[in-house]
Amino acid sequence: MILIENAAIATVDEAGREFTTGHVLVGDDGRIAAVGAGAATGVIGEVRRIDGRGCLVTPGLVNTHHHLYQWVTRGLALDETLFGWLTTLYPIWGRLDAGIVGAAAGAGLGWLALSGCTTSMDHHYVFPRDGGDVLAAEIEAARAIGVRFHPTRGSMDLSRKDGGLPPDHLVEDTDEALAATEAAIDRWHDPSPESMLQIAVAPCSPFSVTTRLMTESAELARRKGVRLHTHLAETDDEEEFCLRQFGCKPVEYAERVGWLGDDVWLAHGVHLDDSAIARLGATGTGVAHCPSSNARLGAGSARVRELLDHGVPVGLGVDGAASQEVSHLGAELRQALYTARLRGGPKAMNARESLRLGTIGGARCLGRQDDIGSLEVGKLADLVMWRLDGLGHDGIDDHVAALVFGPPARVDLALVGGRPIVERGELVNADADTLTATARTAHRRLLEIS
């Protein structure tokens, strides 16, 4: 068992309970056994005691949108819009292989863990024919770091010659993509409440996927009982593409092909009108909000206040490391708050709403709200202890405000199912220098062969 004592605690439960000085007891089953104010009482058995003085304990952060392979192509196409950025990078990504993807995933997930992330999805949709088992490579990297992982089996089957954006050599045959997606579910997906690995179905985007693949992917996911994910309404270019190709806006298209529902979460959702937001809320469709990536690409800013007011599940995502080189999920809390306030003023979002996006909001997007996302007795012990007593946070007496408004805080402890993955700002299961060197080698090899 692990007992964290003397810490400030933000449970992010339904009541929003917080304790200026409190405790969290983690049972030997990897679940939260107690959480409350003051000292723990009646603790019996062998227990590791951790002094949380000067720290804030929150649920672990949940990353709802990412492309881990992009870690090895950071710093490229820095001044492009999304479509220009994609067409620049597609030829490079076409040379990915399992070794490169594994190195990128190890670095990306290690960095995410150090930023307070305990659960991450990944949207992988590039499968070069001679690249080996790239999905297995990133799954192995997640196991090595120790994070809870929700990779998606993505796909693209609409090439440039057929009116799409990807080059011809980078798309899959539709039937092959569907078969490989089903095989990935059968091989990897664990639906149990304690699951460390769940697979979702994720055709890439309206401008890289045929209507048939969208429709049959939705049917496959529901037959298998897994979730659905895709990019939607990210840019004006995408909206123009949908109007030109399908005669409707992105959310209307999504509904037409069976892609609205409480088993779906969509990446970005930047360009949504009132009717689209209302439709997402009515169907329980989630949105992965990626404020830093949207800003980096100049795509615009999502209407998060309106999404929340309509009951849309909204989580945070760092997005691909090549479209958001920082990839720090803790820092995304502040970016989300600032972005909301740029749109709607200082009342548009507060620190606690931002923390909810990064925790229980993300858990809702991934369908894991019963297991993770808040500190409650019986839930999995996925939590982070942030150090807030240093110079950068001095004088901000509200601990949640210090975490969100202040500089990125050091992670003193991160637990996944009660198992430490970060301690005192260092990875427990991997060496950061080794991850860096391996990713650097992969980056150089990829650019050399490109």
Side-chain angles (χ1 to χ4, degrees), residues 266-277:
L266 307 168
H268 301 294
V270 173
H271 296 274
L272 300 174
D273 59 22
D274 290 347
S275 63
I277 291 174

Side-chain angles (χ1 to χ4, degrees), residues 93-385:
W93 295 339
R95 298 180 181 271
L96 291 168
D97 61 31
I100 292 171
V101 170
L109 290 169
W111 181 243
L112 279 173
L114 292 170
S115 77
C117 176
T118 55
T119 297
S120 182
M121 68 81 69
D122 186 57
H123 188 184
H124 193 92
Y125 52 84
V126 180
F127 294 90
R129 291 194 175 273
D130 58 352
D133 196 340
V134 294
L135 187 60
E138 66 172 16
I139 288 171
E140 181 55 37
R143 286 175 172 165
I145 301 298
V147 295
R148 207 174 295 281
F149 198 37
H150 282 239
T152 66
R153 208 299 178 175
S155 51
M156 299 189 295
D157 71 338
L158 186 66
S159 71
R160 194 170 298 154
K161 68 178 175 58
D162 296 319
L165 198 65
D168 299 342
H169 72 279
L170 212 55
V171 301
E172 296 178 276
D173 172 79
T174 306
D175 289 324
E176 288 179 353
L178 289 166
T181 301
E182 184 164 7
I185 297 168
D186 292 341
R187 180 181 178 187
W188 299 112
H189 183 67
D190 174 9
S192 71
E194 297 82 12
S195 176
M196 291 291 292
L197 178 61
Q198 294 193 355
I199 303 293
V201 176
C204 184
S205 63
F207 51 82
S208 59
V209 172
T210 63
T211 296
R212 180 190 161 209
L213 183 54
M214 288 292 288
T215 302
E216 294 190 21
S217 290
E219 293 169 354
L220 169 63
R222 287 169 180 139
R223 175 164 56 84
K224 289 291 187 177
V226 301
R227 299 181 75 76
L228 287 157
H229 183 64
T230 193
H231 298 91
L232 201 78
E234 183 176 0
T235 66
D236 286 326
D237 288 337
E238 180 191 325
E239 182 164 315
E240 292 169 7
F241 178 91
C242 287
L243 287 169
R244 184 172 65 252
Q245 294 293 116
F246 312 123
C248 61
K249 293 184 176 182
V251 169
E252 296 172 305
Y253 175 66
E255 184 158 32
R256 183 186 299 174
V257 294
W259 271 75
L260 297 186
D262 60 7
D263 57 352
V264 179
W265 85 105
L266 307 168
H268 301 294
V270 173
H271 296 274
L272 300 174
D273 59 22
D274 290 347
S275 63
I277 291 174
R279 197 71 196 115
L280 295 182
T283 57
T285 307
V287 170
H289 177 39
C290 304
S292 290
S293 175
N294 294 337
R296 198 271 207 191
L297 293 169
S301 55
R303 300 171 63 191
V304 175
R305 180 72 270 158
E306 291 92 333
L307 289 166
L308 293 174
D309 289 345
H310 280 80
V312 176
V314 180
L316 291 183
V318 299
D319 203 3
S323 70
Q324 203 274 82
E325 280 77 3
V326 178
S327 298
H328 191 291
L329 192 54
E332 213 69 9
L333 298 172
R334 183 174 67 249
Q335 188 75 0
L337 182 143
Y338 281 4
T339 300
R341 291 185 173 195
L342 281 172
R343 288 194 64 93
K347 303 295 186 184
M349 184 175 291
N350 61 44
R352 283 158 180 83
E353 288 176 310
S354 179
L355 182 59
R356 289 189 68 84
L357 294 183
T359 53
I360 193 65
R364 288 182 68 196
C365 285
L366 299 186
R368 298 299 297 272
Q369 65 270 23
D370 293 337
D371 310 321
I372 61 174
S374 60
L375 302 180
E376 301 180 69
V377 173
K379 279 197 166 185
L380 294 167
D382 290 15
L383 60 83
V384 175
M385 189 171 80

Side-chain angles (χ1 to χ4, degrees), residues 42-53:
V43 179
I44 300 173
E46 184 177 347
V47 61
R48 177 187 174 190
R49 293 178 179 269
I50 297 174
D51 189 352
R53 209 178 312 268

Side-chain angles (χ1 to χ4, degrees), residues 393-418:
H393 300 92
D394 182 59
I396 310 176
D397 295 331
D398 180 326
H399 292 92
V400 175
L403 176 66
V404 176
F405 282 88
R410 188 181 89 165
V411 174
D412 257 21
L413 180 71
L415 303 181
V416 175

